[in-house]
């Protein structure tokens, strides 16, 4: 019983940290008039994150994304496949995804579900990732509720054929999962990520994540 209580406390703490961070980020987003490339102190550490492509590739691409964010769905469906084909499938770059929970409890629940899949079924992670974005209603209203316990379970069952539904639901609140999200939140804070999706190539923050030419140019420069 005590253990359960302390777990809940950790989850509530996470909710508070993420909500305050999110409000700050939304306020800041309005101040980012001109998008300019920004350099971080270093390429974000991707240890413990889901990684596609060759993890040892010379170029590291990191997406700070949110399953609840409409732009992230568009990025996943329009830009990611081009990166996948040209840079990930060819072993030129690695790609990691960091949960950036700017939309409150739904972002957190989606993040929890993704970390459970990564922990228990890593080989199915990217299928789950893609399927969850596919479930985001198109033309979504920011406030419309769609990430629910039923929805994440439905997507998990669709992508992991032998899923233990009860275990999945229990693991959503596992300490390990909460720790992983706190680690993601730390990266968001450390690198002062203000909007989603934010795409980082090595230590360079792409000014416009929807400009495939810019992304290509930065990758090519980093390869030299
Ligand atoms: Ca993570």
């Amino acid at each position: 019983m005590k253990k359960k209580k302390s777990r809940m406390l950790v989850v509530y703490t996470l909710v508070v940290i993420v909500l305050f961070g999110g409000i700050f980020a939304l306020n800041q987003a309005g101040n980012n008039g001109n998008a300019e490339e920004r350099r971080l102190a270093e390429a974000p550490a991707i240890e413990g994150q889901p990684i596609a492509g060759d993890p040892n590739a010379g170029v590291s691409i990191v997406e700070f994304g949110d399953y609840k964010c409409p732009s992230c769905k568009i990025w996943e469906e329009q830009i990611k496949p081009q990166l996948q084909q040209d840079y990930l499938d060819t072993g030129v770059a690695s790609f990691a995804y960091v949960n950036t929970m700017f939309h409150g409890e739904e972002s957190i629940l989606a993040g929890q579900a993704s970390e459970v899949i990564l922990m228990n079924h890593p080989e199915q992670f990217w299928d789950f990732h893609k399927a969850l974005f596919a479930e985001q209603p198109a033309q979504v209203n920011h406030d419309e509720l769609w990430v629910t316990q039923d929805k994440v379970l439905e997507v998990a069952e669709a992508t992991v054929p032998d899923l233990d539904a009860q275990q999945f639901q229990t693991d959503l609140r596992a300490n390990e999962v909460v720790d992983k999200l706190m680690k993601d939140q730390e990266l968001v804070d450390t690198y002062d990520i203000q909007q989603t999706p934010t795409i980082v190539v090595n230590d360079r923050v792409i000014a416009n994540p929807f400009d495939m030419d810019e992304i290509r140019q930065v990758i090519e420069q980093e390869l030299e």
Side-chain angles (χ1 to χ4, degrees), residues 65-224:
D66 183 343
Y67 294 105
K68 175 74 179 164
C69 141
S71 306
C72 299
K73 173 188 172 75
I74 297 169
W75 195 87
E76 168 72 17
E77 293 173 356
Q78 295 181 5
I79 304 294
K80 174 89 177 297
Q82 301 179 56
L83 280 181
Q84 183 80 44
Q85 186 183 333
D86 295 348
Y87 299 109
L88 306 185
D89 292 347
T90 53
V92 169
S94 64
F95 178 87
Y97 180 83
V98 178
N99 284 297
T100 309
M101 298 162 285
F102 285 170
H103 290 94
E105 292 184 35
E106 281 179 88
S107 297
I108 296 172
L109 176 57
Q112 286 170 304
S114 74
E115 298 290 356
V116 172
I117 297 295
L118 181 64
M119 176 171 76
N120 296 339
H121 310 280
E123 63 289 351
Q124 265 108 24
F125 176 84
W126 295 108
D127 291 341
F128 176 84
H129 177 86
K130 192 176 173 185
L132 190 54
F133 272 123
E135 285 296 317
Q136 183 190 114
Q139 314 284 320
V140 73
N141 173 332
H142 269 244
D143 300 324
E144 186 186 336
L145 176 79
W146 68 273
V147 184
T148 60
Q149 300 268 346
D150 286 348
K151 178 57 76 182
V152 293
L153 177 61
E154 178 194 314
V155 174
E157 284 183 319
T159 44
V160 182
D162 57 345
L163 187 87
D164 179 335
Q166 203 152 19
Q167 188 68 47
F168 173 80
Q169 284 173 313
T170 305
D171 284 345
L172 285 174
R173 280 174 292 280
N175 288 340
E176 191 181 336
V177 165
V178 174
D179 287 347
K180 291 264 195 169
L181 291 185
M182 290 217 176
K183 195 173 171 187
D184 288 2
Q185 183 64 37
E186 259 176 51
L187 291 176
V188 170
D189 293 340
T190 299
Y191 298 115
D192 195 25
I193 302 303
Q194 304 286 352
Q195 48 203 343
T196 52
T198 288
I199 305 300
V200 183
V201 175
N202 286 347
D203 61 348
R204 299 167 69 176
V205 181
I206 298 293
N208 176 3
F210 290 93
D211 182 350
M212 194 59 210
D213 290 340
E214 183 194 350
I215 299 175
R216 278 185 203 286
Q217 195 175 33
V218 172
I219 292 174
E220 300 299 331
Q221 284 169 3
E222 290 299 305
L223 280 172
E224 282 167 11

